[in-house]
Amino acid sequence: PAMPDPSNRISWWLADVATSFMTFTFVGATWGAFNPFPIPNSKHQVVETIAKTRKFVPLPPFSSLASIGFYAGMAGSIGAVQRFTAGGMAVARDRQDVWNEFVGLGAVYGYTNALLRSEKRVLWNNRAVAGIVVGSIIYANTAP
């Protein structure tokens, strides 16, 4: 498919990143709300449940509000990295094709591999995502 005219390419690219971030954040939050597995180091940790009862007992929906933000931040940032990289390739090459998506997939692999190496990195990632969201809301409500 053809790219937008040159005056709108950057705006198109950043709008795609923003809408993908919001979409994946919503998907991650929905997964976190209904996820039967608690996040690590939470009060509902699976290891304790299995150790006490000798069987896996899934969490009821909406029982762990921390998992909603945890999965929303992870999924939103992963979606944003993919669209940022793929869209950046499309703008740089002036073509939108499947090769851009493959480059985006490679970026997601590297980002996720680095992100999931430690719990501390995931927490800092989610804090950065929350800061970006709050900063965007403040900017949207104060910009002329």
Side-chain angles (χ1 to χ4, degrees):
M3 293 287 294
D5 61 5
S7 63
N8 292 332
R9 284 189 188 142
I10 302 298
S11 298
W12 166 82
W13 172 36
L14 295 178
D16 186 35
V17 171
T19 55
S20 296
F21 172 75
M22 289 184 280
T23 302
F24 278 90
T25 299
F26 179 74
V27 169
T30 304
W31 170 251
F34 294 100
N35 183 16
F37 304 103
I39 59 174
N41 300 324
S42 69
K43 65 179 182 176
H44 301 289
Q45 196 167 16
V46 175
V47 177
E48 295 173 6
T49 305
I50 294 173
K52 289 179 184 175
T53 62
R54 297 279 184 204
K55 65 178 184 174
F56 173 69
V57 178
L59 292 175
F62 301 106
S63 64
S64 177
L65 294 178
S67 66
I68 293 173
F70 180 83
Y71 288 109
M74 281 188 51
S77 63
I78 288 170
V81 164
Q82 197 278 336
R83 293 314 309 153
F84 183 81
T85 308
M89 283 292 294
V91 168
R93 294 176 62 225
D94 196 22
R95 276 197 337 223
Q96 188 174 4
D97 57 7
V98 71
W99 297 109
N100 301 333
E101 304 302 324
F102 286 142
V103 170
L105 184 64
V108 165
Y109 175 76
Y111 178 75
T112 307
N113 195 17
L115 180 66
L116 296 178
R117 284 193 182 153
S118 73
E119 189 66 27
K120 191 173 188 178
R121 288 183 182 190
V122 173
L123 292 176
W124 279 107
N125 173 72
N126 289 351
R127 288 175 183 159
V129 167
I132 290 168
V133 168
V134 169
S136 299
I137 291 170
I138 291 171
Y139 175 75
N141 288 305
T142 59

